Amino acid sequence: MNLHALRLFTKVAELNSVSKAAQTLMISQPAVTIQIRNLEKELGLTLLEAKGRGISLTQNGTFLYKQAQRLFDLETDIENKVEQLKNTGNEELQIASTHVPSHFLLPKWLAQFKQVYPATHIHLKTANSQQVIEDLLHYKADLAFIVKEDGHHADINYQFLMNLDYWFIVPYNHHLAGQTVSLVELMQQPFVTREDGSSTKEYLNALCKVHKIPPPKVGLQLDGINESIHAIAAGFGTMLAPSIAASSFILQQQVARVFIKDIDIQRPIYLCTRKNELHHSTSFNNFLHIINESII
């Protein structure tokens, strides 16, 4: 495959315009058009089609654009890692994680790792599950940690680490505090929910769907676990929270559990890596060893 033509096509797809791509790349518009036509001929696929006065991607074009993005993200990742080795002689480990592993598990594992391998530079990015998987697929992370039951991506390996208990919590003086109620009764309360892309929000909606009841009323939407629990502790709403995050608030009598008849929730934590990636850095393997030792 002609990688130069693929790069031109990717810029056209990114800007949704041949002329804008040509201007950005400082080459003529006919040159860009010829390269893309040659790429289509080489692949035997139509990548672009006319749409009004502009162009749009065909289904095949959309597929190729997404794959090409990953390819050029890999190129950038390699360049960054080489530059890091040239400048410091040390490896860098990029980690993406959803909020629960990032806040309550990774600090301990990273501290153990840095005590043994102090020279390795670590960068941890915290985001929701959708963003974390995108970062891993596009080589913006070397490994990732998520809490998610299903909807696993075909290009990702998922290594199960552990299950975590999840609890429904309310303010400590709430009238449902310590009570056992039905799911439908609890869903009448205003909920503190996470942003779109959060696996906890997806799980809660799926739980309601399975039990054939409407999803909860969203009283407040926040982007993080700690922010959400603090809102509950301040006296507002209900939420589904990991026990590892909520337990200290319960001990301090700031929030309380609500028990649901015949429902106990456990959610899995996975370590995620890209499929078909046969070789990993020494830092990656050393960090994985420390994690496995910690959870045995």
Side-chain angles (χ1 to χ4, degrees):
M1 182 186 298
N2 186 324
L3 291 182
H4 175 63
L6 182 63
R7 198 181 296 275
L8 294 181
F9 163 73
T10 303
K11 182 58 68 174
V12 170
E14 178 187 325
L15 299 175
N16 202 34
S17 168
V18 174
S19 59
K20 288 180 181 178
Q23 185 177 5
T24 300
L25 298 169
M26 293 185 290
I27 57 178
S28 70
Q29 182 172 332
V32 174
T33 301
I34 289 170
Q35 289 285 351
I36 292 177
R37 285 177 180 170
N38 288 340
L39 180 63
E40 290 180 319
K41 188 181 296 184
E42 178 186 0
L43 298 176
L45 299 172
T46 300
L47 304 175
L48 302 175
E49 58 187 1
K51 185 176 182 181
R53 294 184 178 180
I55 54 97
S56 66
L57 296 175
T58 64
Q59 184 175 351
N60 291 327
T62 299
F63 169 79
L64 185 63
Y65 174 51
K66 290 180 179 179
Q67 298 304 312
Q69 281 184 306
R70 292 177 59 186
L71 174 63
F72 295 127
D73 286 339
L74 173 58
E75 179 186 32
T76 301
D77 181 57
I78 292 171
E79 290 172 350
N80 291 338
K81 283 181 167 59
V82 169
E83 194 65 25
Q84 177 77 15
L85 287 171
K86 283 166 58 180
N87 291 336
T88 68
N90 299 320
E91 290 183 347
E92 184 176 62
L93 195 59
Q94 299 278 349
I95 303 171
S97 175
T98 55
H99 291 261
V100 173
S102 181
H103 292 160
F104 302 101
L105 296 173
L106 279 160
K108 176 183 176 182
W109 295 339
L110 291 173
Q112 291 173 341
F113 178 82
K114 289 292 286 186
Q115 289 171 27
V116 182
Y117 308 102
T120 302
H121 178 69
I122 304 288
H123 179 260
L124 171 63
K125 177 183 176 181
T126 305
N128 64 44
S129 57
Q130 180 179 321
Q131 293 167 328
V132 163
I133 291 302
E134 283 298 309
D135 280 354
L136 184 60
L137 287 171
H138 288 273
Y139 296 89
K140 296 176 183 176
D142 300 305
L143 69 163
F145 298 84
I146 66 167
V147 181
K148 192 170 177 65
E149 288 74 13
D150 50 25
H152 291 177
H153 197 285
D155 294 326
I156 299 292
N157 282 321
Y158 294 80
Q159 177 186 333
F160 173 78
L161 296 179
M162 65 182 74
N163 278 319
L164 283 182
D165 291 323
Y166 270 65
W167 300 338
F168 287 104
I169 60 172
V170 292
Y172 186 74
N173 293 320
H174 194 278
H175 70 279
L176 294 181
Q179 301 297 309
T180 299
V181 301
S182 66
L183 186 64
V184 66
E185 183 178 354
L186 185 62
M187 291 303 121
Q188 302 306 309
Q189 303 298 314
F191 263 71
V192 177
T193 66
R194 295 282 305 284
E195 76 283 3
D196 290 340
S198 160
S199 68
T200 301
K201 184 174 184 178
E202 291 173 0
Y203 180 90
L204 187 58
N205 288 336
L207 184 67
C208 291
K209 188 174 182 179
V210 166
H211 289 270
K212 298 180 180 179
I213 61 174
K217 303 173 183 176
V218 179
L220 189 61
Q221 179 173 299
L222 298 173
D223 286 0
I225 288 290
N226 286 322
E227 300 92 323
S228 300
I229 297 178
H230 276 287
I232 302 294
F236 178 81
T238 305
M239 71 174 289
L240 179 62
S243 60
I244 197 171
S247 56
S248 62
F249 289 84
I250 289 175
L251 288 174
Q252 295 167 21
Q253 298 186 342
Q254 293 179 284
V255 305
R257 289 184 66 184
V258 179
F259 302 90
I260 307 299
K261 296 173 184 177
D262 303 319
I263 295 179
D264 289 310
I265 298 173
Q266 283 193 328
R267 305 194 62 209
I269 294 181
Y270 290 98
L271 185 157
C272 303
T273 55
R274 290 178 289 271
K275 279 187 179 177
N276 304 319
E277 197 164 44
L278 301 179
H279 302 288
H280 296 289
S281 69
T282 303
S283 295
F284 176 99
N285 291 324
N286 289 337
F287 186 51
L288 189 60
H289 176 72
I290 282 177
I291 293 172
N292 290 330
E293 287 287 314
S294 297
I295 63 178
I296 290 177

